[in-house]
Amino acid sequence: MKTKQCSAEVFASFGQAAEINCSSKPEFQRSRQLICSSFLVQKSPGIEMPKFQNSSKPGSGPHYVWEYEYYDDDEPVSFDNLTAHRYSVVIGFWVGLALFVIFMFFVLTLLTKTGPPHQENQDAFDRHCRPSSCMVDFRHPQASDNKACSQPLLDESHSLIHCFIHEEETGRTGEGQGQWREAKQCACSGLQQAQAKCKVERDTSFPTHCNIPNFVNSEYSSALGDDDLLLCDQPVPLDSNSLSSNNYHRTM
Amino acid sequence: KMSKTETPNFFYANETDCREVQIPNEIFFTIAMVSLGENLLVVVAVIRNKNLHSPMYCFICSLALFNTISSLSKTWENIMLVFTNTGHLNSRGDSVLKVDDVMDSLLCMSFIGSIFSFLAIAVDRYVTIFHALRYHNIMTMKRAKAILSAIWAFCGCTGVVMVVFFHNVAIMMCFIILFVFALVLILFLYVHMFLLARHHARKIASLPGSTKHHNLRGALTLTILFGVFIACWSPFFLHLLIIMVCPQNPYCECYRSLFQIHVILLMSHAVIDPAIYAFRSAELRSTFRKMFLYTWAQCVCV
């Protein structure tokens, strides 16, 4: 079996000695740089650089066209003593790749299915719980369903907004969780009825909003048929101040 | 001493030899054309729609541009190969080889650019998730443009350097190390984002009144994204590694004989990319619909 061939073509002109070099006249082929590199030739042992002298008489005779293919005289690449199948590297590579991808998929699905919520978030959950608070639904303050909750809310909206701002500044639980914080607040509400309403309102309104640039949707939005992990809608330009003022306007 | 006629490519045609697997030009053409069409569509849509002038879509547009360049250079190479095979072009001419060098450097540039664009998209999404409230302060349009200029400048220089100094082992090793580094970083970023999404989903599931719902779609999407990236890119990089590590080994020789298949995989990644990144966005899809309807209406009216 030959090493990768590098053909050289020499046009012998009258009375000139020419030296054949593999890289002097390479041939244009598909991505030839990546198939035939002179690096390859330098590494191969036993390759001779043939020289020849043009013996034609000066002033007469046709052009000679010589074509040489480079081969290893010692033939180090031999296909005779193969112990395994000749495509074993190819097969091994693809099998390994497939196993890796499948393994990654199973690890990700296992991560989805198992494990209770973490303890530190349980504490944070409790910390936000205030029995008298009722942060129902910041998105639809005009909805008639919210009437039960909106009255006490008006009084507390200021303090709650300050709480929001404080939360953002401390940023303890991570800044990507503004909407999740609202969920916690809703769930911690002392009013059972309002709590149930909170939940329902939150569920239905959640997928329609993306005021925090968030392309990783929860189970709910996936169940509702939105795009999942790779949804990339234009985030509404908000910084922390406008977010709190936005929430503030929604409650009014 | 008379002139030899042309010798066959494989002089010692053994039955156990691994002949190079040749893919017909038509397949290369088709894939290049489809990839060109798709990516050009994405670029035009992002440029025309003012709503899509945000950092996230700039990175997606940059990825589509790099894919367009790679498709163009592959198409060009195909055309030249067709002309060479039919005898209109001298495959050993100086100008042809120079043009081939330019095409190879464009190809290298677009490959490296694609990898960097994937990285930029992953980092942008990471900032979106983990620094959501400060996102618009961290990732301003000015910064996004600066990042993109740096990426394009770096890729342009690297493409030229790689083609000029291809024989150098160090350059090849840099390329491969860059690929592995990008792979690991992208994997880390996306898995971290996935873990946060799972964490949030579980918190929602723990609230009273919520339905328990096993969400496999996130895992599936992530697996597809990463799996396609690895499946399309790593055969080519393994080829580069094998050229350096074991050029004489018969097993490696058989792997290298599949080179054209690996290039096809690389090109098909440029076809799949818009489906994974760009077409997932509802805004982009609606832009396409409007563009098509507008063009259709124009054709019908005229």
Side-chain angles (χ1 to χ4, degrees):
Chain A
M1 180 60 198
K2 46 167 287 307
T3 54
K4 266 302 176 203
Q5 54 88 9
C6 298
S7 61
E9 190 178 286
V10 176
F11 292 92
S13 55
F14 305 140
Q16 270 180 349
E19 198 171 298
I20 298 176
N21 194 344
C22 173
S23 54
S24 64
K25 282 279 184 183
E27 183 187 1
F28 168 63
Q29 39 176 296
R30 191 181 300 282
S31 308
R32 70 173 163 85
Q33 284 264 30
L34 299 168
I35 302 177
C36 166
S37 65
S38 59
F39 157 78
L40 197 62
V41 173
Q42 285 153 22
K43 274 215 144 186
S44 309
I47 287 187
E48 294 171 1
M49 305 283 256
K51 296 185 187 195
F52 71 96
Q53 294 256 348
N54 187 358
S55 58
S56 67
K57 302 190 193 68
S60 69
H63 284 279
Y64 286 105
V65 175
W66 293 88
E67 250 184 61
Y68 278 83
E69 305 288 328
Y70 267 84
Y71 306 113
D72 236 348
D73 288 339
D74 300 336
E75 279 294 301
V77 183
S78 156
F79 271 72
D80 295 332
N81 301 325
L82 291 184
T83 49
H85 191 261
R86 55 199 171 120
Y87 282 112
S88 48
V89 167
V90 180
I91 295 169
F93 169 74
W94 284 106
V95 166
L97 199 66
L99 285 176
F100 173 72
V101 172
I102 292 171
F103 168 73
M104 196 174 79
F105 178 68
F106 278 126
V107 163
L108 290 174
T109 46
L110 273 174
L111 285 176
T112 317
K113 284 184 187 175
T114 60
H118 293 269
Q119 190 55 38
E120 72 265 15
N121 292 302
Q122 202 60 40
D123 294 341
F125 210 92
D126 294 331
R127 195 168 59 83
H128 294 303
C129 247
R130 292 197 286 176
S132 59
S133 77
C134 177
M135 308 231 326
V136 180
D137 184 16
F138 282 89
R139 290 171 189 110
H140 301 295
Q142 295 85 21
S144 56
D145 293 339
N146 290 347
K147 285 267 170 59
C149 293
S150 58
Q151 274 311 109
L153 206 135
L154 285 172
D155 300 330
E156 295 177 330
S157 58
H158 285 272
S159 57
L160 290 167
I161 294 300
H162 288 311
C163 174
F164 258 118
I165 297 171
H166 177 70
E167 275 300 305
E168 287 158 29
E169 281 168 2
T170 55
R172 252 199 51 181
T173 49
E175 291 178 355
Q177 304 183 20
Q179 288 164 333
W180 307 104
R181 242 173 274 132
E182 288 173 46
K184 280 186 260 178
Q185 301 281 8
C186 283
C188 285
S189 162
L191 304 163
Q192 275 294 16
Q193 200 182 14
Q195 190 178 357
K197 259 184 224 153
C198 279
K199 207 62 213 63
V200 168
E201 294 286 1
R202 233 203 116 272
D203 294 346
T204 54
S205 66
F206 179 72
T208 64
H209 279 79
C210 200
N211 53 358
I212 296 176
N214 179 10
F215 71 86
V216 179
N217 291 329
S218 70
E219 294 174 358
Y220 289 89
S221 52
S222 299
L224 288 167
D226 279 348
D227 288 337
D228 52 3
L229 198 68
L230 295 172
L231 173 67
C232 289
D233 270 335
Q234 172 80 18
V236 174
L238 284 175
D239 54 12
S240 53
N241 293 331
S242 61
L243 178 69
S244 38
S245 63
N246 232 359
N247 287 329
Y248 176 80
H249 285 303
R250 285 204 183 99
T251 59
M252 290 294 116
Chain B
K1 296 280 165 44
M2 301 306 290
S3 65
K4 275 191 201 172
T5 51
E6 42 87 28
T7 47
N9 273 347
F10 294 88
F11 192 74
Y12 298 105
N14 236 342
E15 276 172 6
T16 57
D17 278 359
C18 285
R19 291 178 180 272
E20 185 174 351
V21 173
Q22 302 275 352
I23 305 261
N25 277 335
E26 291 80 20
I27 295 185
F28 275 102
F29 255 127
T30 316
I31 294 186
M33 284 289 119
V34 171
S35 150
L36 190 66
E38 273 185 347
N39 288 293
L40 218 52
L41 209 62
V42 171
V43 171
V44 166
V46 170
I47 289 176
R48 281 181 61 166
N49 188 349
K50 292 283 185 294
N51 288 340
L52 300 177
H53 290 183
S54 74
M56 185 169 59
Y57 287 104
C58 282
F59 294 133
I60 291 180
C61 182
S62 156
L63 176 68
L65 261 175
F66 278 122
N67 286 334
T68 308
I69 290 177
S70 85
S71 318
L72 272 175
S73 64
K74 271 292 166 197
T75 310
W76 190 9
E77 189 183 51
N78 263 331
I79 293 174
M80 281 181 60
L81 271 173
V82 164
F83 280 134
T84 308
N85 290 339
T86 55
H88 289 94
L89 221 62
N90 177 19
S91 68
R92 293 190 167 85
D94 272 337
S95 59
V96 171
L97 295 172
K98 279 206 177 70
V99 166
D100 189 38
D101 277 342
V102 168
M103 285 194 305
D104 281 341
S105 69
L106 277 179
L107 213 57
C108 281
M109 178 183 104
S110 63
F111 287 163
I112 299 176
S114 297
I115 295 177
F116 273 111
S117 294
F118 293 138
L119 255 179
I121 291 174
V123 167
D124 177 68
R125 288 175 173 178
Y126 191 83
V127 172
T128 302
I129 292 292
F130 287 95
H131 302 281
L133 292 171
R134 288 186 295 145
Y135 172 79
H136 290 282
N137 292 335
I138 296 176
M139 192 66 77
T140 56
M141 268 309 276
K142 216 170 142 189
R143 273 199 195 138
K145 283 180 182 156
I147 291 172
L148 281 177
S149 323
I151 288 177
W152 277 83
F154 178 75
C155 295
C157 298
T158 314
V160 172
V161 161
M162 279 194 55
V163 167
V164 169
F165 296 109
F166 189 83
H167 347 291
N168 199 343
V169 179
I171 300 282
M172 274 302 104
M173 285 309 299
C174 279
F175 197 29
I176 293 173
I177 288 171
L178 177 76
F179 170 69
V180 172
F181 168 74
L183 200 71
V184 167
L185 192 60
I186 288 176
L187 186 64
F188 167 74
L189 288 174
Y190 276 115
V191 167
H192 200 193
M193 284 190 269
F194 175 81
L195 288 178
L196 184 67
R198 167 197 70 113
H199 178 64
H200 284 169
R202 220 184 282 143
K203 285 225 305 261
I204 286 234
S206 70
L207 293 174
S210 67
T211 55
K212 290 266 182 272
H213 174 76
H214 288 308
N215 183 22
L216 287 179
R217 283 187 66 181
L220 193 64
T221 308
L222 198 57
T223 309
I224 288 175
L225 189 149
F226 202 69
V228 164
F229 182 72
I230 286 190
C232 291
W233 282 85
S234 44
F236 179 76
F237 278 88
L238 191 62
H239 177 95
L240 295 182
L241 201 62
I242 274 180
I243 283 183
M244 290 188 295
V245 165
C246 59
Q248 306 295 328
N249 195 325
Y251 299 111
C252 296
E253 180 78 30
C254 283
Y255 183 87
R256 284 192 288 126
S257 68
L258 300 177
F259 177 70
Q260 297 204 0
I261 296 180
H262 300 153
V263 173
I264 285 277
L265 277 173
L266 216 50
M267 289 169 62
S268 56
H269 192 244
V271 172
I272 299 172
D273 260 348
I276 292 180
Y277 287 96
F279 295 163
R280 289 288 204 139
S281 159
E283 179 73 33
L284 207 60
R285 281 200 302 262
S286 72
T287 314
F288 288 142
R289 269 197 292 270
K290 282 182 203 147
M291 275 167 51
F292 278 131
L293 286 174
Y294 181 68
T295 320
W296 178 250
Q298 281 213 315
C299 290
V300 165
C301 289
V302 169

